[in-house]
Structure formats: C-alpha cells, structure tokens
Amino acid sequence: MSSLTSLDDCSFIRPSWPAPANVVAYSTTRIGGVSRAPFNGLNVGKHVGDNPVSVDRNRSLLPHSKNMLWLKQTHSNACVNLPINLTSLVNDSLEADCAYTQQPHQVCAVMTADCLPVLLCNKQGNMVAAVHAGWRGLAGGIIEACIEQFDCERQDILVWLGPAIGANHFEVGQDVKDAFAHYPQGFREKKHVKHPKYLMDIFCIAKTKLRALGISQIYGGEHCTYQDEQRFFSHRRATHQGNLTSQGHISTGRMVSAIYLN
C-alpha cells in the first residue's frame, strides 16, 4: 500500500446525508499517511505500537487537526463538551467515548477499528457530536447519553453510522447476547459450534436504539471494516490473522471519524 504525504479522496468516506451546509463530517480509511507495516497507511492511533512520529504526521494531515482533541476511549457512556480547558490536558488522556460541541471549528473525533463510530448533528446546524460505540458502550448507554446532550427536538437530530465490523463477521458469545436481551433481532445463532456463538449486527442494534429515542433520520451503516482489508483497519481481522507486534499486541491501526461546524 503506497503512502501519501497528503490525503486525497480515497483517504475519506463522507456521509451521504442532508446535514446543514456548515456541518463537515468524515471517516478516514487506511489509505494515505506515512505509517509503515504492519500499520500500513493512515493510522491515527498512538496506543497500538506504531511509531509516534508517524502517528503525529498522520494526524497532522487531517482537516483542522490542531482543533482535534483525541480521547482516551474506555467503552464507557461518558460524554465531554468541547472545548474544555486544555492547559493541563494532554491528547489521548481524557477518558470519554463521546465528544460534542457547539463551537465552530472544534473537531469531535473518535477512533475505531471495528467498533461503531456514530456522527450526529442537528438540523439547526449549531451542534455536532461523535460517539465511539463498541458493544460495551452500546450496552452501557453511550448513544442515549449523547442524545441527552442535544437541546433540540429528537426529530431534528441526524445520525450517520460509520464503518464498523459487519454482521457476517462479528462473532460473539452468550455474554454479549445476554447484554442485549431486548434486541434479539440483532443476533443470528451460529450452527454446528461446540459452545453458543452468535453473529451480532451492531448496526441493527444502534438503529433500533436510535429509533426508540425518537430519531428517524439515520444514514450510513454499509461499510464493513473486517471485510474490506484494502480500506479499513480491523482488530478482529488482525486477531484472526495472528498479526502481533514485537510486544505481543494485536498489530492494527485505527481510523478516525470526525465532525465539526464550519
């Protein structure tokens, strides 16, 4: 995979949604950037074993990169209102899984490599949010917590579901299925396995939760990180392939999904 010291259209997936003109949103692919194997391309994760200099360079290529606060994501339901006092705060140190703002050019961003990135805005074009929704955060109410931050009618909220692991590849156990007991439509049982295994549709569950919250304008959800190795990093795929760093960690990068007000 070739490296690009600047990014082009292949480096981004942009939502197809009727957001206000002043709302800018995207998810990155792994195409572009300067990271070398096994993090080939546009890796923005500093916690995965990549060269920090390469990660800083990749991050610097992103629009309004100086206005991005990189969260320390912990699969929680914690939300943070940006901007905040950054004088004593270091990037990648603030623990939260949702960032929201009403401040122009303040970028809300979350990193993923199979978990579901959720980008939100309102019709008024005065608020945006980015959510990191792994299955733990999804079960713990991260989407609900984010929606509570919007001071508008629910029908005025638009949502885009970015690239995540698809329903044909997200194998989970009984414990995960039990965590979503009210969402049986989000699981298919795998046959001919020794222990109960299921294929989880994280997009389906997110959409079901959003609709229950009164949100009908939901877009995206068509990109599978596991299936498309050319465009996306996938932690689950790297695990199955046995890709490890010299420290024994799973060697895969992270994409970023970001949204801001112009």
Side-chain angles (χ1 to χ4, degrees), residues 6-8 11-14 24-28 42 44 57-70 105-109 256-262:
S6 62
L7 305 182
D8 60 19
S11 303
F12 299 96
I13 294 174
R14 302 185 188 276
V24 180
Y26 63 83
S27 285
T28 59
L42 187 59
V44 298
R57 175 58 178 154
N58 290 337
R59 290 181 173 187
S60 74
L61 297 172
L62 300 171
H64 291 293
S65 60
K66 292 182 179 179
N67 295 337
M68 300 182 85
L69 176 65
W70 297 87
H105 307 303
Q106 173 65 61
V107 183
C108 298
V256 62
S257 294
I259 189 167
Y260 60 91
L261 299 166
N262 252 338

Side-chain angles (χ1 to χ4, degrees), residues 114-130:
D114 280 336
C115 292
L116 176 63
V118 184
L119 301 182
L120 308 93
C121 69
N122 58 9
K123 287 182 179 179
Q124 293 78 15
N126 59 20
M127 183 169 175
V128 294

